């Protein structure tokens, strides 16, 4: 039988890695479920294929499983945020020593990784599921921080997996770099919510746009830029690789070209119209693409171009 050893949370043991095989494989997650379903379809009998109703039923099960996982993740994150500022005790099996380590300390922050909630206790990340005792000796300030954390949690959890745009603020308060990408996870540090976006740490208040799909990067546009010869204009077509922002001016990087734009939000709006029907005071049609001319976005409908201000809602 393993011994129980009391240790502080500040030692060098990485408790995020100390999970047993049983813990790691005890639940059938949505990825495993989908893999099983795809395997079933791949090897089904072509003379007796899976019935449509059965397939729909399995997809419904998959959807229900995903919703349950999302609900469980939200619930555990909320539980974790409620512990910020409180003293907790956790028991972790140490596979290196064969002992059960007892970790005690005050919860400084909460992180969500790969669907599991971790508590930061004196610099160590400990799974929420390993907590065995919670002490209610938090101060009034700690309790207020906990309430604010719960409010921030409800806002930040909703953006996990979403595409966001953010403008990182410099230490002097000026606008810095531009970041766009999917939110991988969130954590709460020092009373502020931090999002992980393309390996960048972004504060929640720095986010300017949220979407289910990429807003700019990867989108196809045409643009009119200065040509190789003086006083000439060249039309280019390509996908947006990235966005360059220096605090006042923004430009789109399309291949080896740099396309200046007036407002990032105008480009977001213009690209959201692609494939949709629009009308002006005199015309109507489906937006085929977006063109950029003199820093402004135009909607291309057939052989015509319309400014955003021309659109009648």
């Amino acid at each position: 039988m393993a011994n129980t050893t009391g240790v502080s949370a500040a030692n060098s043991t990485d408790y995020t890695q100390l999970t047993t095989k049983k813990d790691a494989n005890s639940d059938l997650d949505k990825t495993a479920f989908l893999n099983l379903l795809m395997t079933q379809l791949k090897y089904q009998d072509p003379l007796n294929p899976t019935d449509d109703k059965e397939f729909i039923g399995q997809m419904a099960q998959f959807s229900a499983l995903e919703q349950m996982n999302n609900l469980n993740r939200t619930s555990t994150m909320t539980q974790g945020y409620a512990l910020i500022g409180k003293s907790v005790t956790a028991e972790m099996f140490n596979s290196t020593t064969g002992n059960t380590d007892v970790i005690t300390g005050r919860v400084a922050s909460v992180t969500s990784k790969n669907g599991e909630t971790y508590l930061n206790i004196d610099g160590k990340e400990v799974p929420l599921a390993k907590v065995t005792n919670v002490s209610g000796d938090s101060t009034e300030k700690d309790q207020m921080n906990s309430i604010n954390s719960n409010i921030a949690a409800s806002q930040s959890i909703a953006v996990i997996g979403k595409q966001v745009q953010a403008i990182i603020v410099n230490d002097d308060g000026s606008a810095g770099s531009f970041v766009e990408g999917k939110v991988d996870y969130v954590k709460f540090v020092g009373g502020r919510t931090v999002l992980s976006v393309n390996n960048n740490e972004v504060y929640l208040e720095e986010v300017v746009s949220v979407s289910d799909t990429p807003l700019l990067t990867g989108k196809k546009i045409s643009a009119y830029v200065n040509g190789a010869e003086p006083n000439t204009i060249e039309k280019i077509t390509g996908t947006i690789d990235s966005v360059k922002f220096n605090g006042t001016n923004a430009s789109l990087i399309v291949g080896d070209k740099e396309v200046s734009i007036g407002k990032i939000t105008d480009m977001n709006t213009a690209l959201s119209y692609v494939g949709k029907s629009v009308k002006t005071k005199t015309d109507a049609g489906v937006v085929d693409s977006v063109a950029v001319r003199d820093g402004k976005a135009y909607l291309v409908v057939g052989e015509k171009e319309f400014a955003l201000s021309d659109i009648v809602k």
Side-chain angles (χ1 to χ4, degrees):
M1 181 175 179
N3 296 324
T4 300
T5 305
V7 298
S8 68
N11 62 37
S12 60
T13 306
D14 186 357
Y15 293 104
T16 64
Q17 305 298 325
L18 298 182
T19 57
T20 65
K21 182 179 291 186
K22 179 180 179 181
D23 291 334
N25 298 318
S26 58
D27 295 324
L28 179 63
D29 62 14
K30 63 181 182 181
T31 301
F33 185 94
L34 185 58
N35 287 337
L36 287 173
L37 181 59
M38 294 304 296
T39 301
Q40 177 185 351
L41 293 177
K42 181 178 179 180
Y43 293 104
Q44 65 179 328
D45 185 353
L47 299 179
N48 185 27
T50 302
D51 182 72
D52 289 345
K53 293 182 179 179
E54 181 181 352
F55 177 73
I56 293 173
Q58 290 173 329
M59 290 304 297
Q61 293 178 34
F62 170 73
S63 178
L65 176 64
E66 184 174 23
Q67 292 176 9
M68 289 177 62
N69 284 340
N70 291 337
L71 180 61
N72 180 67
R73 180 177 62 183
T74 301
S75 176
T76 56
M77 280 294 291
T78 302
Q79 293 173 21
Y81 281 119
L83 296 177
I84 292 178
K86 295 185 178 181
S87 295
V88 301
T89 300
E91 294 183 359
M92 294 289 300
F93 175 72
N94 191 328
S95 59
T96 303
T97 63
N99 297 328
T100 297
D101 293 341
V102 178
I103 306 102
T104 60
R106 191 177 296 275
V107 178
S109 63
V110 178
T111 303
S112 176
K113 294 182 180 179
N114 299 322
E116 186 170 1
T117 301
Y118 293 90
L119 308 179
N120 185 313
I121 305 175
D122 294 339
K124 282 296 175 183
E125 291 185 337
V126 177
L128 174 64
K130 301 302 180 182
V131 172
T132 58
N133 184 62
V134 179
S135 173
D137 62 349
S138 57
T139 64
E140 182 177 349
K141 181 179 178 181
D142 291 333
Q143 292 172 358
M144 287 301 300
N145 286 338
S146 179
I147 293 173
N148 292 333
S149 298
N150 285 326
I151 296 174
S154 63
Q155 297 175 335
S156 58
I157 290 175
V159 300
I160 295 177
K162 301 283 188 180
Q163 296 283 335
V164 300
Q165 290 178 333
I167 297 177
I168 297 177
V169 179
N170 296 322
D171 293 337
D172 61 2
S174 62
S177 58
F178 177 87
V179 175
E180 177 175 309
K182 186 179 73 172
V183 178
D184 297 316
Y185 63 88
V186 301
K187 61 182 179 180
F188 197 82
V189 180
R192 303 178 71 183
T193 302
V194 182
L195 314 180
S196 174
V197 183
N198 287 344
N199 296 320
N200 295 289
E201 290 196 340
V202 175
Y203 290 116
L204 182 62
E205 58 267 28
E206 294 175 328
V207 174
V208 294
S209 300
V210 181
S211 173
D212 289 326
T213 59
L215 291 157
L216 291 179
T217 55
K219 297 295 183 69
K220 186 176 181 179
I221 65 167
S222 57
Y224 299 89
V225 298
N226 293 329
E229 299 296 327
N231 302 320
T232 61
I233 298 296
E234 174 187 1
K235 181 180 180 180
I236 64 170
T237 299
T239 56
I240 302 172
D241 298 317
S242 61
V243 179
K244 185 178 178 181
F245 185 70
N246 63 7
T248 55
N249 300 315
S251 57
L252 309 175
I253 307 302
V254 181
D256 59 351
K257 301 292 185 179
E258 188 171 318
V259 181
S260 298
I261 56 175
K263 295 181 179 179
I264 294 176
T265 51
D266 284 350
M267 282 301 304
N268 291 339
T269 302
L271 287 168
S272 70
Y273 278 116
V274 175
K276 298 179 180 179
S277 296
V278 297
K279 62 180 181 178
T280 68
K281 292 181 179 180
T282 58
D283 294 281
V286 176
V287 178
D288 302 312
S289 61
V290 172
V292 181
R293 187 195 302 270
D294 297 328
K296 296 182 179 180
Y298 292 86
L299 306 180
V300 180
V301 179
E303 296 182 354
K304 297 182 178 181
E305 293 182 359
F306 301 114
L308 289 175
S309 57
D310 295 332
I311 305 302
V312 177
K313 296 182 179 180

